[in-house]
mmCIF file of all heavy atoms in Angstrom:
data_model
loop_
_atom_site.group_PDB
_atom_site.id
_atom_site.type_symbol
_atom_site.label_atom_id
_atom_site.label_comp_id
_atom_site.label_asym_id
_atom_site.label_seq_id
_atom_site.Cartn_x
_atom_site.Cartn_y
_atom_site.Cartn_z
ATOM 1 N N ARG A 1 110.306 141.288 113.619
ATOM 2 C CA ARG A 1 111.227 140.220 113.233
ATOM 3 C C ARG A 1 110.760 138.837 113.682
ATOM 4 O O ARG A 1 110.804 137.872 112.912
ATOM 5 C CB ARG A 1 112.603 140.524 113.802
ATOM 6 C CG ARG A 1 113.637 139.502 113.438
ATOM 7 C CD ARG A 1 115.012 139.944 113.929
ATOM 8 N NE ARG A 1 115.970 138.912 113.649
ATOM 9 C CZ ARG A 1 116.774 138.379 114.546
ATOM 10 N NH1 ARG A 1 116.763 138.808 115.785
ATOM 11 N NH2 ARG A 1 117.616 137.440 114.206
ATOM 12 N N ASP A 2 110.322 138.713 114.921
ATOM 13 C CA ASP A 2 109.970 137.396 115.455
ATOM 14 C C ASP A 2 108.805 136.754 114.699
ATOM 15 O O ASP A 2 108.856 135.564 114.367
ATOM 16 C CB ASP A 2 109.636 137.487 116.952
ATOM 17 C CG ASP A 2 110.866 137.781 117.802
ATOM 18 O OD1 ASP A 2 111.998 137.586 117.316
ATOM 19 O OD2 ASP A 2 110.689 138.217 118.954
ATOM 20 N N GLU A 3 107.759 137.525 114.425
ATOM 21 C CA GLU A 3 106.606 136.968 113.712
ATOM 22 C C GLU A 3 106.961 136.649 112.260
ATOM 23 O O GLU A 3 106.561 135.611 111.734
ATOM 24 C CB GLU A 3 105.409 137.925 113.762
ATOM 25 C CG GLU A 3 104.190 137.446 112.998
ATOM 26 C CD GLU A 3 103.602 136.120 113.479
ATOM 27 O OE1 GLU A 3 103.932 135.636 114.576
ATOM 28 O OE2 GLU A 3 102.774 135.552 112.728
ATOM 29 N N ALA A 4 107.727 137.519 111.613
ATOM 30 C CA ALA A 4 108.151 137.254 110.235
ATOM 31 C C ALA A 4 109.012 135.989 110.188
ATOM 32 O O ALA A 4 108.837 135.139 109.305
ATOM 33 C CB ALA A 4 108.906 138.447 109.669
ATOM 34 N N LEU A 5 109.899 135.836 111.139
ATOM 35 C CA LEU A 5 110.753 134.658 111.216
ATOM 36 C C LEU A 5 109.923 133.396 111.441
ATOM 37 O O LEU A 5 110.134 132.375 110.781
ATOM 38 C CB LEU A 5 111.767 134.851 112.343
ATOM 39 C CG LEU A 5 112.863 133.822 112.490
ATOM 40 C CD1 LEU A 5 113.690 133.711 111.224
ATOM 41 C CD2 LEU A 5 113.756 134.195 113.665
ATOM 42 N N ARG A 6 108.964 133.470 112.343
ATOM 43 C CA ARG A 6 108.095 132.310 112.608
ATOM 44 C C ARG A 6 107.358 131.889 111.336
ATOM 45 O O ARG A 6 107.293 130.713 110.996
ATOM 46 C CB ARG A 6 107.092 132.648 113.714
ATOM 47 C CG ARG A 6 106.225 131.449 114.124
ATOM 48 C CD ARG A 6 105.021 131.851 114.951
ATOM 49 N NE ARG A 6 104.056 132.640 114.220
ATOM 50 C CZ ARG A 6 103.209 132.147 113.295
ATOM 51 N NH1 ARG A 6 103.241 130.871 112.981
ATOM 52 N NH2 ARG A 6 102.339 132.933 112.680
ATOM 53 N N ARG A 7 106.809 132.866 110.616
ATOM 54 C CA ARG A 7 106.064 132.560 109.390
ATOM 55 C C ARG A 7 106.973 131.961 108.318
ATOM 56 O O ARG A 7 106.589 131.025 107.615
ATOM 57 C CB ARG A 7 105.390 133.811 108.849
ATOM 58 C CG ARG A 7 104.217 134.252 109.692
ATOM 59 C CD ARG A 7 103.513 135.419 109.055
ATOM 60 N NE ARG A 7 102.508 135.986 109.935
ATOM 61 C CZ ARG A 7 101.603 136.861 109.546
ATOM 62 N NH1 ARG A 7 101.572 137.281 108.294
ATOM 63 N NH2 ARG A 7 100.716 137.335 110.397
ATOM 64 N N LEU A 8 108.180 132.501 108.187
ATOM 65 C CA LEU A 8 109.106 131.977 107.184
ATOM 66 C C LEU A 8 109.545 130.557 107.518
ATOM 67 O O LEU A 8 109.607 129.703 106.632
ATOM 68 C CB LEU A 8 110.330 132.881 107.065
ATOM 69 C CG LEU A 8 110.121 134.109 106.198
ATOM 70 C CD1 LEU A 8 111.262 135.090 106.383
ATOM 71 C CD2 LEU A 8 110.001 133.728 104.740
ATOM 72 N N GLN A 9 109.837 130.296 108.773
ATOM 73 C CA GLN A 9 110.229 128.941 109.154
ATOM 74 C C GLN A 9 109.105 127.956 108.879
ATOM 75 O O GLN A 9 109.337 126.861 108.366
ATOM 76 C CB GLN A 9 110.641 128.905 110.629
ATOM 77 C CG GLN A 9 111.966 129.573 110.874
ATOM 78 C CD GLN A 9 112.311 129.698 112.341
ATOM 79 O OE1 GLN A 9 111.438 129.890 113.186
ATOM 80 N NE2 GLN A 9 113.596 129.618 112.639
ATOM 81 N N SER A 10 107.889 128.349 109.174
ATOM 82 C CA SER A 10 106.732 127.501 108.897
ATOM 83 C C SER A 10 106.573 127.256 107.400
ATOM 84 O O SER A 10 106.306 126.139 106.959
ATOM 85 C CB SER A 10 105.473 128.154 109.481
ATOM 86 O OG SER A 10 104.343 127.400 109.185
ATOM 87 N N LYS A 11 106.757 128.306 106.607
ATOM 88 C CA LYS A 11 106.637 128.187 105.154
ATOM 89 C C LYS A 11 107.719 127.270 104.588
ATOM 90 O O LYS A 11 107.433 126.428 103.727
ATOM 91 C CB LYS A 11 106.708 129.568 104.501
ATOM 92 C CG LYS A 11 106.579 129.554 103.010
ATOM 93 C CD LYS A 11 105.188 129.126 102.580
ATOM 94 C CE LYS A 11 104.996 129.326 101.087
ATOM 95 N NZ LYS A 11 103.631 128.965 100.676
ATOM 96 N N PHE A 12 108.957 127.403 105.053
ATOM 97 C CA PHE A 12 110.019 126.532 104.572
ATOM 98 C C PHE A 12 109.743 125.072 104.922
ATOM 99 O O PHE A 12 110.011 124.182 104.123
ATOM 100 C CB PHE A 12 111.379 126.971 105.103
ATOM 101 C CG PHE A 12 111.979 128.103 104.328
ATOM 102 C CD1 PHE A 12 112.147 129.342 104.914
ATOM 103 C CD2 PHE A 12 112.375 127.944 103.007
ATOM 104 C CE1 PHE A 12 112.698 130.397 104.205
ATOM 105 C CE2 PHE A 12 112.921 128.999 102.293
ATOM 106 C CZ PHE A 12 113.082 130.228 102.888
ATOM 107 N N ASP A 13 109.194 124.820 106.108
ATOM 108 C CA ASP A 13 108.815 123.453 106.474
ATOM 109 C C ASP A 13 107.754 122.919 105.508
ATOM 110 O O ASP A 13 107.831 121.780 105.059
ATOM 111 C CB ASP A 13 108.283 123.406 107.908
ATOM 112 C CG ASP A 13 109.364 123.591 108.953
ATOM 113 O OD1 ASP A 13 110.560 123.444 108.614
ATOM 114 O OD2 ASP A 13 109.011 123.902 110.109
ATOM 115 N N GLN A 14 106.772 123.750 105.196
ATOM 116 C CA GLN A 14 105.709 123.360 104.278
ATOM 117 C C GLN A 14 106.267 123.065 102.877
ATOM 118 O O GLN A 14 105.915 122.066 102.256
ATOM 119 C CB GLN A 14 104.654 124.468 104.188
ATOM 120 C CG GLN A 14 103.573 124.208 103.195
ATOM 121 C CD GLN A 14 102.692 125.446 102.978
ATOM 122 O OE1 GLN A 14 102.846 126.473 103.625
ATOM 123 N NE2 GLN A 14 101.770 125.337 102.048
ATOM 124 N N VAL A 15 107.134 123.936 102.394
ATOM 125 C CA VAL A 15 107.736 123.758 101.063
ATOM 126 C C VAL A 15 108.572 122.476 101.029
ATOM 127 O O VAL A 15 108.522 121.713 100.067
ATOM 128 C CB VAL A 15 108.580 124.989 100.675
ATOM 129 C CG1 VAL A 15 109.446 124.711 99.459
ATOM 130 C CG2 VAL A 15 107.672 126.185 100.431
ATOM 131 N N ARG A 16 109.344 122.217 102.080
ATOM 132 C CA ARG A 16 110.156 121.013 102.150
ATOM 133 C C ARG A 16 109.296 119.763 102.076
ATOM 134 O O ARG A 16 109.610 118.818 101.354
ATOM 135 C CB ARG A 16 111.009 121.007 103.422
ATOM 136 C CG ARG A 16 111.973 119.854 103.471
ATOM 137 C CD ARG A 16 112.981 119.843 104.579
ATOM 138 N NE ARG A 16 112.808 120.277 105.930
ATOM 139 C CZ ARG A 16 112.496 121.462 106.456
ATOM 140 N NH1 ARG A 16 112.230 122.436 105.748
ATOM 141 N NH2 ARG A 16 112.419 121.716 107.717
ATOM 142 N N ARG A 17 108.166 119.763 102.793
ATOM 143 C CA ARG A 17 107.264 118.609 102.747
ATOM 144 C C ARG A 17 106.621 118.471 101.364
ATOM 145 O O ARG A 17 106.487 117.370 100.840
ATOM 146 C CB ARG A 17 106.185 118.739 103.815
ATOM 147 C CG ARG A 17 106.661 118.453 105.229
ATOM 148 C CD ARG A 17 105.508 118.349 106.217
ATOM 149 N NE ARG A 17 104.622 119.501 106.196
ATOM 150 C CZ ARG A 17 104.788 120.625 106.898
ATOM 151 N NH1 ARG A 17 105.838 120.740 107.684
ATOM 152 N NH2 ARG A 17 103.919 121.609 106.836
ATOM 153 N N GLN A 18 106.212 119.577 100.781
ATOM 154 C CA GLN A 18 105.502 119.559 99.510
ATOM 155 C C GLN A 18 106.400 119.168 98.331
ATOM 156 O O GLN A 18 105.974 118.456 97.438
ATOM 157 C CB GLN A 18 104.874 120.926 99.248
ATOM 158 C CG GLN A 18 103.990 120.971 98.024
ATOM 159 C CD GLN A 18 103.279 122.321 97.897
ATOM 160 O OE1 GLN A 18 103.370 123.190 98.759
ATOM 161 N NE2 GLN A 18 102.573 122.477 96.803
ATOM 162 N N TYR A 19 107.634 119.667 98.312
ATOM 163 C CA TYR A 19 108.515 119.460 97.168
ATOM 164 C C TYR A 19 109.712 118.570 97.469
ATOM 165 O O TYR A 19 110.610 118.444 96.633
ATOM 166 C CB TYR A 19 109.014 120.809 96.638
ATOM 167 C CG TYR A 19 107.902 121.680 96.137
ATOM 168 C CD1 TYR A 19 107.462 122.767 96.878
ATOM 169 C CD2 TYR A 19 107.264 121.400 94.938
ATOM 170 C CE1 TYR A 19 106.422 123.573 96.423
ATOM 171 C CE2 TYR A 19 106.214 122.191 94.474
ATOM 172 C CZ TYR A 19 105.810 123.276 95.229
ATOM 173 O OH TYR A 19 104.779 124.057 94.785
ATOM 174 N N GLY A 20 109.734 117.943 98.626
ATOM 175 C CA GLY A 20 110.881 117.139 99.033
ATOM 176 C C GLY A 20 111.247 116.027 98.076
ATOM 177 O O GLY A 20 112.421 115.698 97.934
ATOM 178 N N ASP A 21 110.280 115.495 97.367
ATOM 179 C CA ASP A 21 110.574 114.398 96.443
ATOM 180 C C ASP A 21 111.256 114.866 95.163
ATOM 181 O O ASP A 21 111.838 114.069 94.437
ATOM 182 C CB ASP A 21 109.307 113.620 96.112
ATOM 183 C CG ASP A 21 108.223 114.483 95.480
ATOM 184 O OD1 ASP A 21 108.255 115.716 95.644
ATOM 185 O OD2 ASP A 21 107.326 113.909 94.816
ATOM 186 N N SER A 22 111.219 116.157 94.862
ATOM 187 C CA SER A 22 111.866 116.661 93.644
ATOM 188 C C SER A 22 113.109 117.499 93.952
ATOM 189 O O SER A 22 113.679 118.106 93.061
ATOM 190 C CB SER A 22 110.879 117.490 92.811
ATOM 191 O OG SER A 22 110.405 118.587 93.548
ATOM 192 N N VAL A 23 113.524 117.510 95.216
ATOM 193 C CA VAL A 23 114.682 118.284 95.651
ATOM 194 C C VAL A 23 115.658 117.346 96.344
ATOM 195 O O VAL A 23 115.271 116.548 97.178
ATOM 196 C CB VAL A 23 114.258 119.420 96.620
ATOM 197 C CG1 VAL A 23 115.453 120.111 97.215
ATOM 198 C CG2 VAL A 23 113.364 120.408 95.914
ATOM 199 N N GLY A 24 116.923 117.470 95.988
ATOM 200 C CA GLY A 24 117.945 116.641 96.608
ATOM 201 C C GLY A 24 119.027 117.506 97.232
ATOM 202 O O GLY A 24 119.089 118.717 97.012
ATOM 203 N N GLU A 25 119.884 116.856 97.988
ATOM 204 C CA GLU A 25 121.036 117.517 98.609
ATOM 205 C C GLU A 25 120.632 118.804 99.324
ATOM 206 O O GLU A 25 121.317 119.825 99.234
ATOM 207 C CB GLU A 25 122.120 117.804 97.566
ATOM 208 C CG GLU A 25 122.634 116.569 96.877
ATOM 209 C CD GLU A 25 123.624 116.862 95.771
ATOM 210 O OE1 GLU A 25 124.378 117.851 95.881
ATOM 211 O OE2 GLU A 25 123.653 116.097 94.802
ATOM 212 N N LEU A 26 119.539 118.747 100.057
ATOM 213 C CA LEU A 26 119.029 119.920 100.768
ATOM 214 C C LEU A 26 119.883 120.205 101.989
ATOM 215 O O LEU A 26 120.126 119.328 102.813
ATOM 216 C CB LEU A 26 117.579 119.680 101.193
ATOM 217 C CG LEU A 26 116.909 120.786 101.999
ATOM 218 C CD1 LEU A 26 116.763 122.043 101.147
ATOM 219 C CD2 LEU A 26 115.561 120.332 102.503
ATOM 220 N N THR A 27 120.366 121.438 102.067
ATOM 221 C CA THR A 27 121.069 121.900 103.262
ATOM 222 C C THR A 27 120.377 123.171 103.732
ATOM 223 O O THR A 27 119.903 123.969 102.922
ATOM 224 C CB THR A 27 122.552 122.209 102.986
ATOM 225 O OG1 THR A 27 122.650 123.246 102.011
ATOM 226 C CG2 THR A 27 123.291 120.981 102.511
ATOM 227 N N GLU A 28 120.265 123.329 105.022
ATOM 228 C CA GLU A 28 119.653 124.531 105.575
ATOM 229 C C GLU A 28 120.214 124.797 106.951
ATOM 230 O O GLU A 28 120.560 123.881 107.681
ATOM 231 C CB GLU A 28 118.138 124.413 105.617
ATOM 232 C CG GLU A 28 117.622 123.255 106.443
ATOM 233 C CD GLU A 28 116.115 123.159 106.406
ATOM 234 O OE1 GLU A 28 115.455 124.034 106.999
ATOM 235 O OE2 GLU A 28 115.605 122.215 105.809
ATOM 236 N N SER A 29 120.277 126.080 107.277
ATOM 237 C CA SER A 29 120.802 126.483 108.568
ATOM 238 C C SER A 29 120.154 127.802 108.979
ATOM 239 O O SER A 29 120.251 128.793 108.260
ATOM 240 C CB SER A 29 122.321 126.662 108.468
ATOM 241 O OG SER A 29 122.832 127.236 109.646
ATOM 242 N N TRP A 30 119.475 127.796 110.128
ATOM 243 C CA TRP A 30 118.878 129.010 110.698
ATOM 244 C C TRP A 30 119.785 129.488 111.809
ATOM 245 O O TRP A 30 120.138 128.716 112.693
ATOM 246 C CB TRP A 30 117.506 128.721 111.289
ATOM 247 C CG TRP A 30 116.425 128.520 110.287
ATOM 248 C CD1 TRP A 30 115.956 127.326 109.832
ATOM 249 C CD2 TRP A 30 115.654 129.527 109.636
ATOM 250 N NE1 TRP A 30 114.954 127.539 108.928
ATOM 251 C CE2 TRP A 30 114.738 128.877 108.790
ATOM 252 C CE3 TRP A 30 115.656 130.919 109.674
ATOM 253 C CZ2 TRP A 30 113.832 129.572 107.994
ATOM 254 C CZ3 TRP A 30 114.747 131.602 108.881
ATOM 255 C CH2 TRP A 30 113.846 130.928 108.062
ATOM 256 N N GLN A 31 120.133 130.770 111.788
ATOM 257 C CA GLN A 31 120.928 131.328 112.884
ATOM 258 C C GLN A 31 120.702 132.832 112.941
ATOM 259 O O GLN A 31 120.983 133.548 111.979
ATOM 260 C CB GLN A 31 122.408 131.022 112.689
ATOM 261 C CG GLN A 31 123.247 131.474 113.854
ATOM 262 C CD GLN A 31 124.695 131.041 113.699
ATOM 263 O OE1 GLN A 31 125.095 130.455 112.706
ATOM 264 N NE2 GLN A 31 125.487 131.336 114.702
ATOM 265 N N ASP A 32 120.191 133.293 114.069
ATOM 266 C CA ASP A 32 120.016 134.722 114.325
ATOM 267 C C ASP A 32 119.302 135.460 113.191
ATOM 268 O O ASP A 32 119.772 136.487 112.703
ATOM 269 C CB ASP A 32 121.371 135.398 114.590
ATOM 270 C CG ASP A 32 122.032 134.856 115.848
ATOM 271 O OD1 ASP A 32 121.307 134.492 116.782
ATOM 272 O OD2 ASP A 32 123.271 134.798 115.881
#
């Protein structure tokens, strides 16, 4: 779980940076 979670969080950060200009009203929440 921990490694999969780390990779997913990193990927979401990358996607947000890459596509942030074409995405609006972004909401996100990580919990457990």
Side-chain angles (χ1 to χ4, degrees):
R1 181 175 176 233
D2 290 342
E3 178 60 14
L5 187 58
R6 185 194 66 75
R7 288 185 188 192
L8 279 167
Q9 288 173 326
S10 177
K11 181 67 171 182
F12 279 113
D13 288 343
Q14 176 190 356
V15 168
R16 186 172 36 299
R17 285 190 307 273
Q18 186 174 355
Y19 298 105
D21 59 339
S22 60
V23 173
E25 301 175 32
L26 178 65
T27 61
E28 59 182 290
S29 172
W30 286 98
Q31 185 175 3
D32 296 328

